[in-house]
Amino acid sequence: MKIRVRDAHPADVKWMSENTEGWTVTVEKQEGAASLAEALHALIAEDPDQGVCMGWLHSSLQRAVGDEPGYVRLYELYVPPEFRRMGVARALVDELFVRVPDQEIVLSAWDRELYEVWLKLGFSYVPGFGEVSGECGYYGDMVRPPVEATS
Ligand SMILES: CC(C)(COP(=O)(O)OP(=O)(O)OC[C@H]1O[C@@H](n2cnc3c(N)ncnc32)[C@H](O)[C@@H]1OP(=O)(O)O)[C@@H](O)C(=O)NCCC(=O)NCCS
């Protein structure tokens, strides 16, 4: 099975809203919704041969505030049950990582039960304030740091 990742289009919004754990996805900005208008990258994974959508993610830019640097928030990642454990989430996250080489990516409201999955997908656990590294109290953040310049 092939997996192709592309930008989400307005025509995808209905499918995205029907395939989520409760998010509403809209084209234009809307209170309480994830919108394409506000997305930094909204991505769809599809099977190019069948033309079938297999998963999606939504990310947005958190601008710098005062001394706090900006970062990219991974807001939602969803793969319907029938397409799980096939590398769909990995394809989506890998594409986001490539598109965002120079900024931190932070998982928004990450599911603690999927702790190991986030590590497998390339995120690192940053302990919360006062949390001893290695205890994994899960109060911290899941982040993908900016990619270091190699030269
Ligand atoms: C979490 C989720 C996105 C994973 O999607 P997926 O396409 O099945 O993930 P992948 O196939 O790319 O798997 C990536 C890695 O995680 C592992 N993995 C995936 N789901 C797992 C699970 N439930 N338990 C343990 N490991 C899991 C895979 O084996 C793979 O590891 P590997 O590289 O060592 O083989 C999907 O299960 C999902 O949409 N769940 C419901 C929504 C959700 O919880 N979203 C995240 C909160 S925003």
Side-chain angles (χ1 to χ4, degrees):
M1 184 194 67
K2 284 188 211 156
I3 303 171
R4 179 172 66 193
V5 177
R6 60 167 172 82
D7 288 302
H9 305 140
D12 298 312
V13 157
K14 183 171 182 290
W15 181 85
M16 293 163 86
S17 289
E18 290 169 352
N19 290 274
T20 163
E21 291 198 310
W23 296 105
T24 300
V25 186
T26 56
V27 176
E28 302 300 334
K29 184 175 175 180
Q30 183 179 304
E31 183 74 26
S35 71
L36 298 189
E38 292 169 290
L40 177 67
H41 297 293
L43 302 175
I44 294 278
E46 65 180 7
D47 178 338
D49 296 329
Q50 308 292 329
V52 173
C53 293
M54 298 190 293
W56 63 277
L57 72 70
H58 184 284
S59 65
S60 59
L61 186 62
Q62 174 66 51
R63 296 189 188 285
V65 179
D67 293 340
E68 295 291 321
Y71 60 90
V72 173
R73 183 188 294 119
L74 176 49
Y75 191 55
E76 172 73 306
L77 171 66
Y78 187 82
V79 177
E82 63 270 32
F83 298 120
R84 289 181 190 165
R85 302 292 194 111
M86 297 178 183
V88 175
R90 182 175 296 287
L92 287 161
V93 169
D94 282 354
E95 178 66 18
L96 182 67
F97 284 5
V98 167
R99 291 188 183 205
V100 182
D102 51 357
Q103 280 179 292
E104 191 172 65
I105 302 173
V106 180
L107 276 181
S108 183
W110 57 283
D111 185 338
R112 270 59 185 167
E113 289 183 9
L114 296 173
Y115 181 83
E116 297 293 339
V117 176
W118 303 124
L119 297 183
K120 283 182 177 176
L121 287 172
F123 289 88
S124 301
Y125 180 69
V126 177
F129 181 74
E131 188 181 357
V132 177
S133 180
E135 281 189 351
C136 299
Y138 299 6
Y139 299 113
D141 290 321
M142 276 292 173
V143 304
R144 194 299 314 261
V147 177
E148 301 286 337
T150 50
S151 59

